Amino acid sequence: MLHKSKFKLAALVGIALSVVSLLVHLLLANYSTGDFIQYKLREDDFYPIGQKFRYQKLWGPVSSLEALQPYANPRNFYPAVLKEQNGFIYAKIYGGFDRIRSSICDLVAVARLLNATLVIPEIQESLRSKGISTKFKSFSYLYNEEQFIAALSNDVIVVKSLPNDLKEARKKTKFPTVSPRNSAPPSFYLTEVLPKLKRSKVVGLIINDGGCLQSVLPESMAEYQRLRCRAAFHALQFRPEIQVLGNQIVESLRAFGRPYLAYHPGLVRDALAFHGCAELFQDVHAELIQYRRKQMIKRGIVHEGLSVDSVARKKNGSCPLMPEEVGLLLRAMGYPPNTIIYVAGAETFGGQRILIPLRAMYTNLVDRTSLCSKKELSSLFGPEYPLPSNLRQPPPVKSEKQLIEEWKRAGPRPRPLPPPPARPFYQHEKEGWYGWVAETDKEPDPLPLDLRMQAHMLLWDALDYYVSVEADAFFPGFNNDGSGWPDFSSLIMGHRLYQTASGITYRPDRKTIVELFETTHDNLYHPKRNWTVLVRDHLNKSLGVDGFVAEAQLSKPASFLSHPLPECSCRTSKLPDNSKPVKGKNGELLYGGEDRCPDWMVHGLAMVSARATGATDEEVEEGELSEDDSDVEGDSENGRRIDANRSEQDEEMDPDD
């Protein structure tokens, strides 16, 4: 019995020690997760803006830009459109969503310049597709035709098609066509196009490279700049089906009264190939980028060599920020792990694999496919005719001897080299639309389903554009790429700047960001506090006047719609005494050159602010609400005034605590 008692006692002691050991390990594990909890944002006061509820620290307005308001109405003498027209202009537009949008706005200005009737432009990306719905085609595939015609009725005469007699003549190619180069000056149209228009009464324009009119026009043509603003932000409205689904997505993102951030990665194959960013990817993706770059060199689009140092390009700011880097920047800014992030863009080169690090940091990473059903998405393009399967016939299998011979005589190839015959291609490298890389050196011609998918991508871009413009914050992965073409992120940033200049729109300098990452390369996920402070300082400055001016210098010369100010805005208050207008190298106004807003607009904004602060309309009428008060966004629930400038002084969590 004694031995049995000792055995039971030893067992109990062992169990007790095991429990103690388990508790100790659990406590140690709990304390060791401090580095991950450090980025959790302490919830401060909520305050309403309309029906949106925001964290003051990360979602509040930028006070230095609150005085800027959208105002694209004519200012000076602006005669009504003449009934006697010089003729008709029709246009074929090639390219993706961003180039289509930029080209249409330029065409409106060109039609006004030439006193011509504009035929609604033809979007070739949708016309090339076979069997798409006849209900939505060409211009109406994206935009509302009736709204476009009505909104521009005082500026340009717009018709849906040529008269019947001219249609027949166009089919017989009796009218001249012109292919203007990108950013052509107004003098080109006055000297080259106008004489042809007066002779033949009809001229066709073929636009391939996006904007067909000079971005920054002379000061004497400021009304043409404002006309482009009216075309882009008032006349070009998406057709109702896109707007309805876009509103549905926005409501889903804000279903619980929480704000959301829109993020466009900018990982587009053409842009990556143009700048030589192949080494950011691996295996078949690098090969695909280099193949496209080789084609660009042949067509004269790229004037450099095939193989470039992608690391050097990355340091120079010529390559996009990777999703992992964006996630680290958002963590440094203090965005909590449950932040809702909407990923925009019809193409994200690299697929979902490239988004894995960002998704690990922010689990509420969503896109249109996760917020809409297939039925809702398919309703955008309507009933379509069935097409043959998208499967290609694989080429005949080559023997090992043939592969070795081809390897020896391959010559210089896009870097990196394909795997040698000793290492066969993996199965995933043969699947999908990129599978041809494993079998042939030439990209096959697109199949009918490929062309249809390219047309569908216009709809996905339109939907994401709508959701991104309405977002509480926007972060671009790649903008101002220096190619001279309008890009998706820049157009969104320009639209947000026009619509709500004080909204949270980050304008990061990629070169500065890469330098910051180089300094903490070995501690990316556990950076020191001084690095976090530097990141916050840079990104916070990019929200205000500093980022505003830098964006104007880089973005506006390439695309006016990327920075449609100061021509298309007005100011509700005078600049402070210590703030002077900022001018560029050529004397152009970058900031501070906006006209004063008309009295009716200032009064309307004061009324809105009065309702937010609890003041009555009678108090506003009596002038009791000062101009300074009108700039305050709102009050907290308990009536305490919230200062929009307080974000930098608020207590923040120390990442090293």
Side-chain angles (χ1 to χ4, degrees):
M1 293 294 295
L2 184 61
H3 292 290
K4 289 183 180 180
S5 300
K6 290 182 178 180
F7 182 78
K8 290 181 180 180
L9 180 62
L12 290 174
V13 171
I15 292 173
L17 291 175
S18 298
V19 171
V20 171
S21 176
L22 180 61
L23 291 174
V24 170
H25 279 81
L26 288 174
L27 289 173
L28 290 175
N30 185 37
Y31 283 115
S32 65
T33 59
D35 291 336
F36 296 96
I37 300 175
Q38 65 190 7
Y39 291 98
K40 184 178 180 181
L41 182 69
R42 178 177 58 84
E43 296 183 5
D44 57 353
D45 295 328
F46 275 94
Y47 66 101
I49 298 179
Q51 294 184 355
K52 306 173 187 175
F53 291 89
R54 311 183 176 193
Y55 287 102
Q56 175 191 350
K57 188 171 296 187
L58 296 172
W59 309 98
V62 181
S63 59
S64 59
L65 301 178
E66 281 185 310
L68 294 177
Q69 300 295 329
Y71 188 56
N73 292 353
R75 316 287 170 81
N76 304 316
F77 175 70
Y78 189 75
V81 59
L82 299 177
K83 293 183 179 179
E84 295 295 329
Q85 298 284 289
N86 289 325
F88 293 87
I89 289 180
Y90 70 88
K92 295 182 178 181
I93 303 176
Y94 294 86
F97 174 86
D98 39 13
R99 300 192 189 184
I100 290 170
R101 189 173 184 87
S102 178
S103 299
I104 292 174
C105 299
D106 288 348
L107 280 171
V108 172
V110 169
R112 172 82 185 191
L113 179 66
L114 301 181
N115 189 32
T117 299
L118 177 64
V119 180
I120 284 187
E122 301 170 5
I123 298 176
Q124 296 300 303
E125 202 70 34
S126 65
L127 293 176
R128 290 171 60 199
S129 180
K130 304 297 181 182
I132 68 172
S133 174
T134 56
K135 183 180 179 181
F136 309 121
K137 204 167 188 179
S138 193
F139 187 90
S140 64
Y141 199 68
L142 288 177
Y143 298 109
N144 188 330
E145 289 185 349
E146 303 299 334
Q147 167 67 19
F148 185 72
I149 295 173
L152 297 173
S153 58
N154 296 327
D155 302 293
V156 179
I157 297 178
V158 184
V159 296
K160 292 186 178 182
S161 63
L162 288 169
N164 291 331
D165 56 334
L166 298 179
K167 278 184 183 179
E168 294 299 325
R170 178 189 171 183
K171 291 179 181 178
K172 298 177 182 178
T173 64
K174 291 185 177 181
F175 301 130
T177 57
V178 181
S179 297
R181 62 180 175 85
N182 186 26
S183 301
S187 59
F188 169 81
Y189 294 96
L190 295 174
T191 58
E192 299 291 333
V193 181
L194 184 58
K196 296 178 180 178
L197 179 64
K198 289 182 176 179
R199 283 196 303 268
S200 62
K201 296 303 178 182
V202 179
V203 170
L205 298 180
I206 300 176
I207 304 174
N208 292 300
D209 297 329
C212 59
L213 183 63
Q214 184 177 320
S215 177
V216 181
L217 296 174
E219 189 174 349
S220 59
M221 301 183 70
E223 291 301 339
Y224 289 89
Q225 298 280 55
R226 279 187 275 275
L227 174 56
R228 283 197 279 193
C229 279
R230 293 195 292 277
F233 308 129
H234 300 282
L236 274 182
Q237 291 188 6
F238 297 120
R239 58 181 167 91
E241 293 82 2
I242 297 176
Q243 293 193 51
V244 168
L245 189 55
N247 280 324
Q248 179 180 319
I249 293 176
V250 173
E251 290 174 2
S252 298
L253 291 167
R254 294 203 181 110
F256 300 102
R258 294 169 55 190
Y260 72 94
L261 180 143
Y263 160 58
H264 182 250
L267 298 172
V268 181
R269 185 183 174 194
D270 284 348
L272 294 167
F274 182 86
H275 293 286
C277 303
E279 293 179 358
L280 301 182
F281 298 84
Q282 297 177 352
D283 294 336
V284 68
H285 293 93
E287 191 88 0
L288 287 166
I289 294 172
Q290 289 298 79
Y291 178 86
R292 182 60 59 86
R293 182 174 175 84
K294 187 176 181 180
Q295 298 303 111
M296 288 182 169
I297 293 173
K298 287 182 179 179
R299 295 199 298 265
I301 300 175
V302 175
H303 303 286
E304 300 175 314
L306 179 63
S307 298
V308 295
D309 187 352
S310 297
V311 176
R313 293 295 173 92
K314 175 82 171 178
K315 291 181 179 179
N316 193 37
S318 298
C319 291
L321 297 172
M322 300 303 284
E324 180 183 14
E325 296 171 329
V326 172
L328 294 170
L329 294 174
L330 295 178
R331 279 179 54 165
M333 287 298 295
Y335 284 92
N338 63 348
T339 301
I340 302 173
I341 299 179
Y342 182 85
V343 180
E347 177 186 352
T348 300
F349 193 77
Q352 292 296 317
R353 184 184 68 173
I354 207 74
L355 295 173
I356 289 175
L358 178 60
R359 195 179 298 277
M361 287 181 270
Y362 291 95
T363 54
N364 288 333
L365 192 70
V366 296
D367 58 16
R368 63 185 175 278
T369 60
S370 56
L371 296 173
C372 303
S373 65
K374 290 184 178 180
K375 182 178 180 181
E376 289 170 333
L377 292 175
S378 63
S379 65
L380 290 185
F381 43 79
E384 295 182 324
Y385 299 105
L387 291 176
S389 175
N390 206 23
L391 298 176
R392 293 185 174 89
Q393 293 297 327
V397 180
K398 298 176 182 179
S399 64
E400 184 177 353
K401 184 178 179 180
Q402 288 176 314
L403 291 172
I404 294 174
E405 290 298 324
E406 289 183 3
W407 173 270
K408 291 179 179 178
R409 62 173 182 267
R413 288 179 53 90
R415 188 173 55 178
L417 288 171
R423 198 279 274 175
F425 278 92
Y426 298 116
Q427 185 62 33
H428 75 272
E429 296 174 320
K430 296 184 179 183
E431 296 174 350
W433 62 270
Y434 49 76
W436 58 270
V437 177
E439 306 293 347
T440 178
D441 291 334
K442 183 179 180 182
E443 186 170 2
D445 294 331
L447 294 175
L449 275 181
D450 296 329
L451 296 176
R452 178 178 284 184
M453 183 55 64
Q454 291 176 11
H456 290 175
M457 289 175 69
L458 296 179
L459 298 175
W460 310 150
D461 276 332
L463 195 63
D464 291 346
Y465 183 93
Y466 186 92
V467 177
S468 298
V469 169
E470 295 295 322
D472 300 275
F474 178 74
F475 197 103
F478 197 41
N479 67 301
N480 294 334
D481 60 3
S483 64
W485 300 321
D487 60 82
F488 190 85
S489 289
S490 293
L491 291 183
I492 290 175
M493 295 166 73
H495 199 145
R496 291 174 60 87
L497 180 59
Y498 172 80
Q499 183 171 292
T500 310
S502 61
I504 300 295
T505 303
Y506 291 99
R507 305 174 182 92
D509 182 344
R510 290 187 299 278
K511 186 176 180 180
T512 301
I513 294 297
V514 172
E515 291 175 355
L516 287 172
F517 276 119
E518 286 292 320
T519 61
T520 185
H521 186 270
D522 296 329
N523 299 285
L524 285 178
Y525 281 82
H526 306 282
K528 296 182 179 178
R529 175 170 173 77
N530 59 347
W531 185 86
T532 303
V533 170
L534 290 174
V535 169
R536 290 184 179 182
D537 183 62
H538 173 73
L539 291 180
N540 282 327
K541 283 184 177 179
S542 77
L543 296 172
V545 177
D546 291 343
F548 186 93
V549 173
E551 186 75 12
Q553 292 173 322
L554 294 173
S555 180
K556 190 169 182 177
S559 173
F560 170 69
L561 297 181
S562 301
H563 195 88
L565 278 72
E567 297 92 337
C568 298
S569 68
C570 64
R571 184 176 289 274
T572 59
S573 62
K574 293 182 179 179
L575 284 173
D577 296 336
N578 59 352
S579 178
K580 297 181 179 179
V582 181
K583 294 187 177 181
K585 296 180 181 178
N586 299 324
E588 71 277 12
L589 280 169
L590 302 177
Y591 176 76
E594 302 81 17
D595 298 330
R596 283 286 299 224
C597 292
D599 292 338
W600 61 265
M601 181 180 290
V602 175
H603 179 74
L605 293 170
M607 295 286 286
V608 172
S609 180
R611 294 188 182 97
T613 55
T616 63
D617 294 347
E618 290 76 10
E619 291 175 342
V620 178
E621 293 291 344
E622 296 173 1
E624 295 183 9
L625 182 65
S626 66
E627 189 171 292
D628 291 336
D629 291 336
S630 68
D631 289 335
V632 178
E633 280 293 331
D635 291 346
S636 61
E637 292 180 351
N638 58 6
R640 182 172 55 85
R641 176 67 52 82
I642 294 179
D643 186 1
N645 286 321
R646 199 169 65 88
S647 60
E648 295 184 1
Q649 284 76 34
D650 284 341
E651 180 183 356
E652 296 182 354
M653 179 172 288
D654 189 343
D656 290 335
D657 286 348

